Amino acid sequence: MRVFAGLWGGWLFCLAWVGVFGRAQSIFAHPRLYAASRPDSSRLVGLRAYRTCYIAQKIDHFGFAEDRTFKQRYLIADQHWKKDTGTILFYTGNEGDIAWFANNTGFMWNVAEELDAILVFAEHRYYGESLPFGNKSYTDAKHLNYLTSQQALADFAVLIQHLKNTIPGTQNTPVIAIGGSYGGMLAAWFRMKYPHVVIGALAASAPIWQFDSLVPCGSFHKIVTEDFKKSGIGCSETIRNSWAAIKRIADTEKGLQWLSHTFRLCSPLKTTTDLITFRESLRSTWIYVAMVDYPYEAAFLQPLPAWPVKVICKYLTKPKLPD
Amino acid sequence: MRVFAGLWGGWLFCLAWVGVFGRAQSIFAHPRLYAASRPDSSRLVGLRAYRTCYIAQKIDHFGFAEDRTFKQRYLIADQHWKKDTGTILFYTGNEGDIAWFANNTGFMWNVAEELDAILVFAEHRYYGESLPFGNKSYTDAKHLNYLTSQQALADFAVLIQHLKNTIPGTQNTPVIAIGGSYGGMLAAWFRMKYPHVVIGALAASAPIWQFDSLVPCGSFHKIVTEDFKKSGIGCSETIRNSWAAIKRIADTEKGLQWLSHTFRLCSPLKTTTDLITFRESLRSTWIYVAMVDYPYEAAFLQPLPAWPVKVICKYLTKPKLPD
């Protein structure tokens, strides 16, 4: 079970190993659609052909003192588009390069034909190529001021209006927002805040309640633990006991050397800070594997087998093993 | 017929002549409710008792670089509030001092008892006492940057949450937004953008389509003309013919003197600019009278009889009269 349980979560990142990239097209071009693919011949199981476009967006949708614009990137694929029966599936980009998400959101590619759909993948401002202030975007709070979900949603609304105004036959085409994780929160909020722009939203693995005072602060980690508990006898308990074992072993110089060697660390563990960093990296590993615990072989964050947590748990069956 | 025709428009500003004001209460006080009235004994027909409160609001709801707050004023009246059956009627303040609107929105006072309602009148930022930067608020674009409808709606949402958190028994009380004119647009948009905060909105005389490219640009003035057309035979035609008549009369020195004297102008008409200003003031008069063409005696902008356009039209029955 993946960490952010969503009905469609399992589908969302499927076919993650099919890497096919579109060619960048002229800036601000109207979205004249055609295929532009560079198939990953080694593991190709489907066609991921899109073209890259850009739209000028206001840096600030909610004030007028900052009246400059920036270029937002979006990817578009219309191989299956049919004017009279079609749909626009609009991916509300999350925190990363949009090409990465486009190539790891198999669900949209899988349903495109059935829905006669145009696929649109919109990049989130401040990520990938969509930098409001170019390479200065992250320099200070002043430049980062426009990195908010509200501004991102406004970008999406403007982009959809632009698409409908420029792609013939889409004026009355229904638009469905689709997103995963933080992008799934955006998809849900997009439907709430712009109900006239999208007729529905599919929020996959989206922790929309994951805020202080809405859910207990331990909820996330409890679900991670639950994943390991369900994936093998003694698995979760073995990991739980490992923290104290690491502490005991790290108590001696010889133990530290053993840890450094066994985990193939780049530099040997020496200080308390080193040890905290080491434990933190282990903790992150368990969390991230739980997050990509897909039922099929995939490579969203790293190449992994199907049900990676189960695979790990095969090696973690003896919680009572001595140090 | 009023200019911005809304089903409830006629009710919205009724009882406008009843001036009763609340006493200002301590800043940031929790809304402990009680009556505080100063009746206008001369024309009292109902009790308009409210108390004045303030809430700290973010100057910018959509960024974090500007992290200061300002005091937003709101008025509250709970004479008829009943915990189990009650409603919160929330006036989405428009461009002016909120006390003025509270004292000219008879509809809310009229239905308060029937709905066991708490009345809340929220002042719009940058108006009345709700100035984000005090007396510097209007100095330049930098200070005016946060005067947008989006920021105003966010203020309203924060205020309603604050009320529900601090007035015992209101946690699950339904809230209905009510507004007129621009404030009616805010009420409608509030329901669209914050559907989880208000269960409904009453947008009275609200020109929510009155934007470039949504309606023909002459729509507003056509409705004004229509009002005069319907209010007396020859009325609209007389006004239409007056513009050419004024031009002919203004062609001579004697005519200008006559106009200045007849209309009791503070300084005599001399230049072409003077004449344009004069015609503009007449034009404004017709527009504003149409806007306050209530079916009862009222004093929203100026003291006026019932159906003031009809009263005016009694004097404008002869469009063919010579100069």
Side-chain angles (χ1 to χ4, degrees):
Chain A
M1 188 195 144
R2 282 153 316 90
V3 169
F4 295 133
L7 183 59
W8 294 97
W11 296 66
L12 191 73
F13 297 115
C14 69
L15 291 179
W17 62 92
V18 185
V20 184
F21 298 91
R23 280 181 293 129
Q25 299 301 325
S26 63
I27 284 169
F28 302 119
H30 281 180
R32 240 172 345 112
L33 307 180
Y34 56 87
S37 67
R38 195 174 66 190
D40 173 355
S41 56
S42 63
R43 308 186 82 174
L44 183 65
V45 298
L47 187 68
R48 297 285 167 85
Y50 56 75
R51 103 185 170 90
T52 304
C53 294
Y54 298 85
I55 179 176
Q57 290 281 9
K58 284 183 187 175
I59 288 176
D60 186 7
H61 290 284
F62 302 105
F64 39 82
E66 172 55 75
D67 62 354
R68 288 172 289 175
T69 61
F70 73 100
K71 289 179 292 171
Q72 181 188 22
R73 178 168 57 148
Y74 62 99
L75 315 177
I76 196 158
D78 79 332
Q79 295 87 326
H80 300 293
W81 164 238
K82 282 183 193 150
K83 197 185 137 193
D84 294 324
T85 51
T87 305
I88 295 173
L89 299 184
F90 187 91
Y91 185 87
T92 50
N94 27 342
E95 69 284 20
D97 186 298
I98 192 61
W100 182 50
F101 294 112
N103 284 299
N104 284 284
T105 306
F107 172 67
M108 283 172 67
W109 299 94
N110 289 352
V111 299
E113 186 171 4
E114 189 181 335
L115 297 178
D116 303 333
I118 297 182
L119 307 185
V120 179
F121 298 89
E123 190 158 68
H124 193 296
R125 55 167 58 203
Y126 285 88
Y127 294 97
E129 296 180 11
S130 303
L131 301 173
F133 301 100
N135 57 15
K136 284 184 187 163
S137 299
Y138 279 81
T139 45
D140 53 28
K142 205 184 113 218
H143 288 92
L144 276 165
N145 188 45
Y146 308 98
L147 171 50
T148 69
S149 55
Q150 293 101 323
Q151 299 279 6
L153 294 179
D155 291 338
F156 296 153
V158 169
L159 172 53
I160 289 174
Q161 209 47 64
H162 169 74
L163 296 173
K164 293 204 151 196
N165 289 342
T166 53
I167 304 178
T170 58
Q171 196 65 49
N172 298 312
T173 301
V175 183
I176 296 169
I178 297 182
S181 194
Y182 163 58
M185 299 158 88
L186 292 176
W189 295 334
F190 196 41
R191 170 65 184 146
M192 295 177 201
K193 294 296 182 186
Y194 296 87
H196 59 301
V197 175
V198 285
I199 60 151
L202 196 157
S205 303
I208 59 170
W209 299 116
Q210 189 72 38
F211 290 96
D212 281 354
S213 85
L214 289 183
V215 293
C217 65
S219 300
F220 178 86
H221 293 106
K222 270 190 182 154
I223 301 171
V224 173
T225 302
E226 203 59 32
D227 279 2
F228 284 86
K229 212 173 258 176
K230 284 179 180 170
S231 298
I233 291 163
C235 187
S236 148
E237 208 185 341
T238 305
I239 294 171
R240 186 178 295 279
N241 292 346
S242 76
W243 306 117
I246 290 168
K247 210 175 175 185
R248 284 192 300 273
I249 291 167
D251 242 12
T252 68
E253 189 57 38
K254 213 181 153 191
L256 275 178
Q257 281 172 15
W258 182 84
L259 283 172
S260 305
H261 176 77
T262 305
F263 285 90
R264 298 187 200 180
L265 304 184
C266 300
S267 53
L269 296 169
K270 279 178 187 168
T271 65
T272 314
T273 312
D274 287 352
L275 196 69
I276 290 169
T277 307
F278 171 65
R279 287 160 58 98
E280 192 54 42
S281 78
L282 282 177
R283 187 171 153 274
S284 293
T285 302
W286 305 134
I287 288 171
Y288 278 102
V289 173
M291 278 165 55
V292 293
D293 191 28
Y294 301 119
Y296 37 74
E297 189 185 0
F300 181 54
L301 299 175
Q302 289 288 324
L304 286 171
W307 296 116
V309 175
K310 263 188 197 152
V311 175
I312 287 170
C313 285
K314 280 183 194 166
Y315 301 91
L316 303 173
T317 55
K318 297 171 182 166
K320 305 283 181 189
L321 214 62
D323 297 352
Chain B
M1 189 193 142
R2 280 153 318 89
V3 168
F4 295 132
L7 183 58
W8 295 98
W11 296 65
L12 191 74
F13 297 115
C14 71
L15 291 179
W17 62 93
V18 185
V20 183
F21 299 91
R23 281 182 293 129
Q25 298 302 325
S26 64
I27 284 169
F28 301 119
H30 282 180
R32 237 172 347 112
L33 306 180
Y34 56 88
S37 67
R38 195 173 68 189
D40 173 355
S41 56
S42 62
R43 308 186 83 174
L44 183 65
V45 299
L47 187 66
R48 298 283 169 85
Y50 56 75
R51 103 185 170 90
T52 304
C53 293
Y54 298 84
I55 180 176
Q57 291 280 10
K58 283 183 187 175
I59 288 175
D60 187 7
H61 290 283
F62 303 105
F64 39 82
E66 172 54 75
D67 62 355
R68 287 173 290 176
T69 60
F70 73 100
K71 288 180 292 173
Q72 180 187 24
R73 179 167 57 147
Y74 62 99
L75 315 178
I76 196 158
D78 79 333
Q79 296 87 327
H80 300 293
W81 164 238
K82 282 184 193 148
K83 198 187 137 191
D84 294 324
T85 51
T87 306
I88 295 173
L89 299 184
F90 187 92
Y91 185 87
T92 49
N94 29 341
E95 69 283 21
D97 187 297
I98 192 61
W100 182 51
F101 294 113
N103 284 299
N104 284 283
T105 306
F107 171 68
M108 283 173 67
W109 299 93
N110 288 352
V111 299
E113 186 171 3
E114 189 182 335
L115 297 177
D116 304 332
I118 298 182
L119 308 184
V120 179
F121 298 89
E123 190 158 68
H124 192 297
R125 54 167 58 202
Y126 286 88
Y127 294 97
E129 296 180 12
S130 303
L131 301 173
F133 301 100
N135 57 14
K136 284 183 186 165
S137 299
Y138 280 80
T139 45
D140 53 29
K142 204 183 113 217
H143 289 91
L144 277 165
N145 188 44
Y146 308 98
L147 171 50
T148 68
S149 55
Q150 292 102 324
Q151 298 279 6
L153 294 179
D155 290 337
F156 297 153
V158 168
L159 173 53
I160 289 174
Q161 209 47 64
H162 169 75
L163 296 173
K164 293 203 150 197
N165 289 342
T166 53
I167 304 178
T170 57
Q171 196 64 49
N172 298 312
T173 301
V175 183
I176 296 169
I178 297 182
S181 194
Y182 164 58
M185 299 159 87
L186 291 176
W189 295 334
F190 196 42
R191 170 66 183 145
M192 294 178 201
K193 293 295 181 186
Y194 296 86
H196 59 302
V197 175
V198 286
I199 60 151
L202 196 156
S205 303
I208 57 170
W209 299 114
Q210 189 71 39
F211 289 96
D212 280 357
S213 84
L214 289 183
V215 293
C217 64
S219 300
F220 177 86
H221 293 106
K222 269 189 184 156
I223 301 172
V224 173
T225 302
E226 203 58 33
D227 279 1
F228 283 86
K229 213 174 258 176
K230 284 178 179 170
S231 299
I233 292 163
C235 187
S236 148
E237 209 185 339
T238 304
I239 294 170
R240 187 178 296 277
N241 292 346
S242 76
W243 306 117
I246 290 167
K247 209 174 177 185
R248 285 193 299 273
I249 291 167
D251 241 13
T252 68
E253 189 58 39
K254 214 181 153 189
L256 275 178
Q257 282 172 15
W258 181 85
L259 282 171
S260 306
H261 176 77
T262 305
F263 285 90
R264 299 186 200 180
L265 303 184
C266 300
S267 54
L269 297 169
K270 279 177 186 168
T271 65
T272 314
T273 312
D274 287 351
L275 196 68
I276 290 169
T277 307
F278 171 66
R279 287 160 57 98
E280 192 54 43
S281 77
L282 282 177
R283 187 171 154 274
S284 293
T285 301
W286 305 133
I287 288 171
Y288 278 102
V289 174
M291 278 167 54
V292 293
D293 191 27
Y294 302 120
Y296 37 74
E297 188 184 1
F300 181 54
L301 299 174
Q302 289 289 323
L304 286 171
W307 297 116
V309 175
K310 263 189 197 153
V311 175
I312 287 169
C313 285
K314 280 183 193 167
Y315 302 91
L316 303 174
T317 55
K318 296 171 184 167
K320 305 283 181 189
L321 215 61
D323 298 351

